[in-house]
Amino acid sequence: MKKFISAVTSLAMTVTMASSIAPSVSAADASKGFAIKAYAEAGSKYDAMGSKVTVSKDDIAAGDVVVPVAVYLDEATNDSEAVSVSVKLVSDSADVKNVTFKRVNPNDEYFAEAKEYTAGTKTFSTKNAVIFAGEVSRRGAFVPAGSWEIAADTSQKEAGAENAYIGCSWTNNGSAYEFIGSKSTDHPFFVFDVTLPKGTAAGDYKLEFCRYNTDTSGQHNNPTPMIETKAGRFNEDLKNLNLEEMTITVEGSNATTSETTTAKPVETTTAAPTTTVKPAETTTAATTSAQPVADADVIFDFGNYEAKAGDEVTVDITVDSKNKAISAMDVVFAIDSPLTIDEIDKQSLAFKTTAMTNMAILGANFKSLDDKGEPLVPTKDPVFTLYVTVPATTPDGIYNVGFGKKCEVHKSNDGSKYSSTAINGKIKVGNPVDDPTTSATTASQPATTTTAATTASQPTSTTTKPVADADVIFDFGNYEAKAGDEVTVDVTVDSKNKAISAMDVVFAIDSPLTIDEIDKQSLAFKTTAMTNIAILGANFKSLDDKGEPLVPTKDPVFTLYVTVPATTPDGIYNVGFGKKCEVHKSNDGSKYSSTAINGKIKVGNPVDDPTTSATTASQPATTTSSTTASQPAETTTTVSTPSGNTLKPVWGDVNCDGDVNVADVVLLNKWLNNNADYAMTDQGKVNADCFNPQDEKGGAVDASKVDLTKADSDAIIKSVVHLITLPAKG
């Protein structure tokens, strides 16, 4: 199950921070169940057909038919800790090979228009397909419960799926969850679309559950489908898991229908595009720029403009790639003082894509790939648009605008780049005495390196650009408050167009201020974070449908809700990272270097008001009365056990109860964080050593030589959700 495995490298962090407190329940269910049915909230003609869907001969003759499908979890008690379920397509028709499944991520938009829902006393609206459990954040957004892994494929040999396949693994992150409706089946467990191509042969196309033991070693019985709770398991072998399957019937030429349907299927998954309206231009180009002398691969032209003091100038930058395809751009702009670049448009019209901008460094970047991941050739439309302010006190003169020290134009995903040249823009203000002609400069030789710095998250004062040349830059922003206030701290991230697969961080704040809540939504990645307020920790994985890392948007990557006690003295209080800030590149465990601009919360009217300075994520700026509780112990611990005690491992059974489940992961993580307070037997330690163990063949080993790390915990949780077989190697 390679695709599943590549998409879940970060699942380990999900349980690493899981609470040891199980959800409170009134009584355990005698049985639970799954049902495959038409997605009742899709807004398609099939909504009410349940597990028996009929596609008319007219519809299948007219075009592709999309049937929105959902798997529903049926439980009376909200106590599930881990779930594994997968679905395959079965039919006698030869056309079954052409039918496809498309996964729907709970964090992705599904509907063209937002739908309104009520959860308890809160109302929210979303374009996403709302799942069975979750909560409403302070922003009024729906946050799905737990951590999900959903993968679709054309087949899956291990699961016995010769045709279309989809599988879902879920954990509750060790936290209680609440149903969004009055019961679990009011909303689906997960959603996927089934597409039957135009002309698909008549017949029954059955959606059946995959039934198999995911432990290929035979040491354990880890069947799927399965639901695991603290009280025990639910599966078919135990006769306590009810399963309802689905059939899609395509009618043939002899069938009769009572109504004529439309030629096109109901579309449910395309979100309505949003466009940024370009502000009215206040100036016009004055002259045509001269051609650059450098024989570069790519030529940028900033254009020439005329303005008067007090104007706003819209600078449209065009690019001539000489018909070369471009996969991405990463640039920094510069402008002569006193003119300022006040906004960089997020739309790159030349590529019809959205750019990520950073006004603090006057930076912009984007990727320009088609649906197949291939680089694009730009059109003649502007590749960037800058909105420039000419202050009312600006002297008459010619002012340059161009690139700063960075202009990267990427050929493809292998990191190769084109050479580039820029024709700097000239903004003529008033009637200058000297009026030089436009000259060409290379992208690496800017006309000016002076830039105006602003912050991105509504701070009350400006922050300086970090001095460290880190791969990733976090900015906590600056704020003003008074004693008794609550402050919302939005943490932004500039990855310089680098894709990120996961983050794992711990925050710290100066006393007496406290971080009372960490928002579970990471807006920059449109994903759900797992948070642990006890250690002020948060982590998430950020992967697309194919398991590839994502580039963050300009939206907040984390949001902290800070309380300023009523007795807080006037002063400047720092907020930033504690001892942990891990930014993962990919699934191989490699990490980026990172720097954080600590946030400053100004309370009242302090005597001293220092400027914000940059610090690295591993060394927080705050040292006085900082929140030391947010600095957890190291998770790599060498076991100290008397030598000579050799034991044969039972892979993953940390608590030695005969089963491998969530309880084993929780115990191991407790022990890794504080082994003095949690007892683990020698046998348990040998069982837990399942990633690169002493003897991968399972022979007896010396318990005193066991080295337990987070990697062992990672391996066990992957086996719990049936993604790998223990032991694991890496």
Side-chain angles (χ1 to χ4, degrees):
M1 299 175 67
K2 290 183 178 179
K3 288 194 176 182
F4 240 174
I5 295 171
S6 66
V8 297
T9 299
S10 305
L11 235 178
M13 292 193 302
T14 298
V15 179
T16 299
M17 296 174 57
S19 168
S20 61
I21 302 174
S24 58
V25 295
S26 56
D29 293 338
S31 65
K32 295 181 185 285
F34 292 110
I36 312 171
K37 296 182 178 182
Y39 179 24
E41 301 164 62
S44 79
K45 65 172 64 180
Y46 308 109
D47 286 5
M49 294 188 183
S51 60
K52 303 291 183 182
V53 169
T54 299
V55 177
S56 74
K57 64 177 182 178
D58 294 331
D59 279 359
I60 203 67
D64 294 353
V65 172
V66 178
V67 180
V69 175
V71 173
Y72 291 88
L73 168 64
D74 188 2
E75 62 176 8
T77 306
N78 51 337
D79 61 348
S80 295
E81 294 185 336
V83 174
S84 172
V85 60
S86 52
V87 177
K88 63 183 178 181
L89 184 66
V90 178
S91 178
D92 293 333
S93 170
D95 283 353
V96 70
K97 293 291 184 183
N98 302 320
V99 180
T100 59
F101 291 170
K102 180 182 178 182
R103 55 160 271 178
V104 176
N105 189 309
N107 291 304
D108 290 344
E109 291 183 355
Y110 183 76
F111 299 106
E113 301 294 333
K115 292 176 176 285
E116 189 168 288
Y117 299 85
T118 298
T121 60
K122 296 181 179 180
T123 299
F124 66 95
S125 62
T126 181
K127 294 181 179 180
N128 298 6
V130 171
I131 54 94
F132 79 113
E135 61 184 271
V136 182
S137 72
R138 291 197 190 189
R139 295 181 185 275
F142 173 66
V143 182
S147 294
W148 302 78
E149 294 300 341
I150 307 173
D153 207 344
T154 55
S155 64
Q156 192 63 260
K157 181 179 179 181
E158 294 86 345
E162 298 179 356
N163 309 304
Y165 162 90
I166 190 164
C168 177
S169 293
W170 175 85
T171 62
N172 73 339
N173 292 343
S175 300
Y177 58 89
E178 298 294 334
F179 300 143
I180 291 300
S182 60
K183 57 186 182 298
S184 67
T185 53
D186 284 350
H187 301 287
F189 183 64
F190 73 95
V191 175
F192 61 102
D193 285 339
V194 178
T195 299
L196 298 100
K198 177 181 177 180
T200 296
D204 289 339
Y205 296 82
K206 298 179 180 179
L207 279 68
E208 299 180 352
F209 292 102
C210 300
R211 298 168 169 89
Y212 66 106
N213 182 12
T214 60
D215 186 354
T216 57
S217 72
Q219 291 188 9
H220 302 285
N221 182 29
N222 283 333
T224 187
M226 183 175 72
I227 299 172
E228 188 141 13
T229 71
K230 190 174 183 180
R233 291 180 170 184
F234 293 79
N235 60 52
E236 282 192 303
D237 293 344
L238 298 174
K239 303 186 184 304
N240 59 2
L241 186 67
N242 304 313
L243 301 177
E244 181 181 354
E245 298 178 329
M246 178 178 180
T247 299
I248 300 175
T249 300
V250 177
E251 293 184 335
S253 57
N254 295 325
T256 58
T257 57
S258 59
E259 58 180 282
T260 301
T261 56
T262 56
K264 293 183 178 180
V266 177
E267 295 290 338
T268 60
T269 60
T270 303
T274 58
T275 57
T276 303
V277 180
K278 184 178 177 181
E281 296 197 14
T282 56
T283 64
T284 58
T287 61
T288 303
S289 302
Q291 290 296 318
V293 294
D295 186 21
D297 295 321
V298 177
I299 302 169
F300 293 90
D301 190 344
F302 279 72
N304 294 334
Y305 309 85
E306 288 186 353
K308 59 182 183 293
D311 279 355
E312 179 185 81
V313 181
T314 300
V315 176
D316 281 328
I317 307 165
T318 57
V319 61
D320 178 11
S321 72
K322 305 175 185 178
N323 210 37
K324 298 180 181 71
I326 294 170
S327 67
M329 289 189 184
D330 193 0
V331 303
V332 171
F333 300 103
I335 193 166
D336 283 340
S337 179
L339 275 62
T340 58
I341 300 172
D342 295 326
E343 184 180 346
I344 304 168
D345 203 298
K346 292 181 180 179
Q347 277 199 314
S348 176
L349 299 177
F351 291 98
K352 294 184 179 178
T353 191
T354 302
M356 187 178 78
T357 63
N358 185 334
M359 292 306 300
I361 63 171
L362 295 183
N365 62 62
F366 59 77
K367 57 185 176 184
S368 44
L369 304 173
D370 64 16
D371 293 342
K372 298 179 180 178
E374 297 298 322
L376 297 172
V377 176
T379 68
K380 293 182 179 180
D381 295 311
V383 62
F384 296 106
T385 298
L386 312 177
Y387 302 107
V388 174
T389 294
V390 182
T393 56
T394 302
D396 290 356
I398 303 285
Y399 297 88
N400 292 287
V401 58
F403 290 119
K405 291 184 177 180
K406 187 176 190 180
C407 178
E408 296 180 357
V409 183
H410 293 259
K411 293 182 181 180
S412 59
N413 294 327
D414 62 4
S416 57
K417 302 172 188 174
Y418 292 115
S419 61
S420 60
T421 294
I423 307 173
N424 276 0
K426 303 288 183 180
I427 301 176
K428 179 181 176 182
V429 179
N431 298 297
V433 176
D434 297 321
D435 192 349
T437 58
T438 303
S439 60
T441 64
T442 60
S444 61
Q445 302 275 338
T448 175
T449 58
T450 303
T451 60
T454 61
T455 52
S457 56
Q458 300 179 348
T460 57
S461 61
T462 57
T463 60
T464 61
K465 181 180 176 180
V467 293
D469 187 21
D471 296 321
V472 177
I473 302 169
F474 293 90
D475 189 346
F476 280 72
N478 295 333
Y479 310 85
E480 287 187 353
K482 59 183 183 293
D485 280 356
E486 180 184 82
V487 179
T488 299
V489 175
D490 282 328
V491 186
T492 57
V493 61
D494 176 14
S495 72
K496 306 175 185 178
N497 209 37
K498 298 179 182 71
I500 294 169
S501 67
M503 288 189 184
D504 194 1
V505 303
V506 170
F507 300 102
I509 193 167
D510 281 344
S511 180
L513 275 61
T514 58
I515 299 172
D516 294 327
E517 184 178 343
I518 303 166
D519 203 298
K520 292 182 178 179
Q521 276 199 314
S522 177
L523 299 178
F525 291 98
K526 292 185 179 178
T527 192
T528 302
M530 191 183 79
T531 64
N532 187 331
I533 203 66
I535 64 170
L536 297 183
N539 64 61
F540 59 77
K541 57 183 181 293
S542 44
L543 304 172
D544 65 13
D545 292 349
K546 297 178 181 179
E548 296 298 322
L550 296 172
V551 176
T553 67
K554 188 181 178 181
D555 296 312
V557 62
F558 297 107
T559 297
L560 313 177
Y561 300 107
V562 173
T563 293
V564 182
T567 57
T568 303
D570 290 356
I572 304 285
Y573 298 87
N574 292 288
V575 59
F577 291 120
K579 287 186 176 180
K580 187 176 191 180
C581 178
E582 296 180 357
V583 183
H584 294 258
K585 291 183 181 179
S586 60
N587 294 330
D588 62 4
S590 57
K591 302 172 188 174
Y592 292 115
S593 62
S594 61
T595 294
I597 306 174
N598 277 0
K600 303 288 183 180
I601 300 177
K602 179 181 176 182
V603 179
N605 297 298
V607 176
D608 297 321
D609 193 349
T611 58
T612 302
S613 59
T615 65
T616 60
S618 60
Q619 296 185 357
T622 174
T623 57
T624 304
S625 302
S626 62
T627 316
T628 55
S630 65
Q631 299 171 359
E634 296 294 328
T635 58
T636 300
T637 308
T638 300
V639 181
S640 178
T641 308
S643 61
N645 187 12
T646 58
L647 299 166
K648 188 173 181 179
V650 179
W651 305 120
D653 188 12
V654 181
N655 60 9
C656 304
D657 67 350
D659 288 315
V660 179
N661 51 37
V662 172
D664 297 295
V665 181
V666 172
L667 176 58
L668 177 54
N669 289 332
K670 289 178 182 178
W671 188 89
L672 288 171
N673 286 324
N674 187 357
N675 59 71
D677 288 348
Y678 293 96
M680 192 187 303
T681 65
D682 285 355
Q683 183 65 61
K685 292 168 185 175
V686 170
N687 295 348
D689 185 22
C690 53
F691 182 82
N692 291 339
Q694 294 182 61
D695 185 350
E696 64 184 42
K697 294 182 180 180
V701 296
D702 187 346
S704 68
K705 296 180 180 179
V706 167
D707 183 28
L708 297 179
T709 70
K710 184 171 173 288
D712 297 295
S713 174
D714 294 0
I716 298 173
I717 186 56
K718 288 178 185 177
S719 74
V720 167
V721 292
H722 321 304
L723 302 176
I724 65 171
T725 299
L726 299 176
K729 295 187 294 184

